[in-house]
Amino acid sequence: MTTTTRTAPPHPPATLPSGQRRSRRAAAGRVTAVVGAVLLIGTPYLSWAYGRAALDDMTYTGGPSGLQFFSLIGGVVLLVLLLAPFRARVNGNGGARAAAIGATAYLVVIMASIALELGGLVNVDPGGWLALAGAVLALVGTLVLPAGPTPTLQRVRSPRWLQILGIVAAMAGVLFAAAYGLGQDDGGAFIAFAVFLGAAVYVTHASGLLGWLGAAAARNRQVLVLSAFVVAFAFPFTQHGSDANMSIASQVLIFAATAMGLNIVVGLAGLLDLGYVAFLGAGAFTAATLSTSAFATINWHPPFLVVVLISGAISATLGLIIGSPTLRVSGDYLAIVTLAFGEIFRITMNNLDGQDGPNLTHGSNGIPGIPNLNVLGFDFGQPHAILGVTIGRFSNYYWLMLLVIGLIILVFGNLNHSRIGRGWVAIREDEKAAEAMGVNVFGLKLLAFAGGAFLAGVAGAVKAHQDVSVTPDQYVFMESAFLVAGIVLGGMGTVGGVVVGASILKLLPEKLRFFQDYRLLMFGILLVVMMRIRPEGLMPDQRRQLEFHDEDEDMVPSPAGAQAVTGPRIQRREHR
């Protein structure tokens, strides 16, 4: 009798719980990201490019160039966010993912620039490919990490001295960024540095550091304003007497001062003006005709302070003349009328040549040979040395425009927080409702036009002396369009946003001359992207930010910043 042995069926393979699988996946991703960060730290000491003509000479081994050093900084920040014990408070996973995305974008731009400037990817040395591989590894590793909690750094109650130290450090970073960016003559290097700055802002936002700085700035506004002006005043000392860079910087300030005047019209009152550059031109032509130039057509040469007031008054008068019959229309109709006014001004200046009209501007030739300013014996055209640094004529005009912008900021801030400013905001939000509540709509509109035009005329008076000559072709429609674009890009109704937007739109064409044929395409793409991801602008007014994000939980005004909101209170919808 045979017996059969029955064997038990094999047990099915044990499976790990989902929590353990996620934990192992996160551990593997963290290790991968750490390896990528180590590569980003080490590869800058290798050669990235075969030839020295690419970017800022990345051919050295053992000595990183400036752009390579930024990759090292990115690797260090990524490593800290991955391994630091306080990463839960700053959402280390989200910050690390942002750092990896920024590093990948930065390295892609670097590799593309080397290939374009040297004639192919074959000119990228192994060090460059290793750096790109490190960025990709870091990106892959951080993508599998859990999202992590919302960063709480902005809610940390820090001592006031630490807040002031953070503001000072941020302003010092702005000074370095401005000095380094203006010093880049290579277009690819400038684009790469711009990408690095964008990545840095992205990382600080994702980690909560930007929110903490915003809260610190709201609690220490006086320190912020003082630090900003100290940094702006110190900027010429970083240029080692370079007239080329200071010329760009002074033009940026003139553009920003003009945009602040337009910000009253567009940002506060909500009136779309597409011919605003005419007021800048009116101030410039007034200053030119009253100057001591051999081509000046008016035999009266008052002091410059008087010329500034006359230039502003004439521009404001033009604002009243164009505003009185046209401000009863709004929207697209007002935009068309103001656009036509800008073209009429340019054509009129061309016709004041002694043949088609009185000889005031010499027609298309304009008024050249405008002498440098001489205020109280100080000649703005003469270079001088301060602390061993040569300060040229453009630095002198730069400091003059700083004073002008300071006065404009004082006027703008007081108007914004006054009954007049609240009336402008009410008109912008709902003109019919404002009129029903007793707001003098037409009078406030006219005041906005005249006030903005006066500020543009003041900026034009300085611009005439800095540019040495004034011609009608300098004041075309595209300049008005760039002014409006700068306000929209930076943030309507704010001072900082206008300065940032005007700086970007004025600086980019100067540094990207190789992209000149596609400049309008670049601006259009930039504005479309902004309207999609941040319609309120880079540095928006808190009121407008709430309007665009009234359903976001993280947009609740902080106690420190709530007092800055003026005008009609905005009630957010609560979701329970």
Side-chain angles (χ1 to χ4, degrees), residues 104-364:
T104 303
Y106 179 71
L107 268 300
V108 168
V109 171
I110 291 287
M111 299 300 109
S113 298
I114 294 175
L116 290 174
E117 295 183 11
L118 295 182
L121 289 173
V122 69
N123 294 286
V124 179
D125 279 354
W129 292 115
L130 284 175
L132 181 59
V136 173
L137 280 176
L139 179 60
V140 172
T142 55
L143 286 178
V144 300
L145 294 177
T150 302
T152 59
L153 188 61
Q154 62 266 34
R155 302 190 184 99
V156 175
R157 300 182 64 87
S158 52
R160 190 167 186 268
W161 66 266
L162 184 60
Q163 297 176 13
I164 294 176
L165 185 62
I167 293 173
V168 172
M171 290 295 103
V174 170
L175 178 61
F176 167 78
Y180 188 87
L182 272 178
Q184 298 303 310
D185 296 327
D186 183 89
F190 180 80
I191 294 177
F193 181 65
V195 171
F196 174 79
L197 287 182
V201 173
Y202 182 34
V203 173
T204 54
H205 172 72
S207 62
L209 180 59
L210 194 61
W212 180 83
L213 284 174
R219 296 187 182 97
N220 303 274
R221 290 189 179 276
Q222 294 180 346
V223 176
L224 176 66
V225 173
L226 179 61
S227 301
F229 271 96
V230 168
V231 164
F233 180 83
F235 177 73
F237 293 99
T238 66
Q239 298 304 306
H240 308 290
S242 171
D243 277 343
N245 290 341
M246 289 312 304
S247 173
I248 297 174
S250 59
Q251 290 290 347
V252 166
L253 288 188
I254 292 175
F255 193 76
T258 309
M260 285 183 188
L262 180 59
N263 198 24
I264 295 177
V265 180
V266 177
L268 294 183
L271 306 172
L272 183 56
D273 186 350
L274 295 181
Y276 187 78
V277 74
F279 303 127
L280 178 68
F285 271 105
T286 301
T289 55
L290 294 177
S291 69
T292 57
S293 169
F295 300 93
T297 55
I298 297 179
N299 191 22
W300 181 45
H301 314 297
F304 177 68
L305 294 179
V306 177
V307 172
V308 166
L309 295 177
I310 294 175
S311 299
I314 289 179
S315 295
T317 303
L318 287 178
L320 292 174
I321 292 174
I322 186 62
S324 298
T326 60
L327 284 180
R328 300 190 185 277
V329 299
S330 60
D332 298 339
Y333 300 100
L334 179 62
I336 293 172
V337 170
T338 54
L339 188 154
F341 168 70
E343 289 301 300
I344 290 171
F345 171 81
R346 182 181 60 82
I347 295 171
T348 301
M349 293 301 103
N350 273 317
N351 289 337
L352 297 180
D353 56 357
Q355 298 180 3
D356 299 319
N359 188 17
L360 289 178
T361 64
H362 301 299
S364 59

Side-chain angles (χ1 to χ4, degrees), residues 87-108:
R87 62 178 181 271
R89 183 174 290 277
V90 299
N91 187 11
N93 292 346
R97 185 176 297 115
I101 293 173
T104 303
Y106 179 71
L107 268 300
V108 168

Side-chain angles (χ1 to χ4, degrees), residues 7 95 105-106 131 141 165 198 200 234 280 287 328 335 349 353 377 400 440 449 472 486 511 513 525 547:
T7 59
Y106 179 71
L165 185 62
L280 178 68
R328 300 190 185 277
M349 293 301 103
D353 56 357
L400 177 61
N440 185 357
F449 246 70
K511 290 299 180 180
R513 291 186 179 275
I525 293 175
E547 292 171 3

Side-chain angles (χ1 to χ4, degrees), residues 71 75 137 185 202 417 435 459 523 561:
S71 173
L137 280 176
D185 296 327
Y202 182 34
H417 294 89
E435 189 173 9
F523 287 164

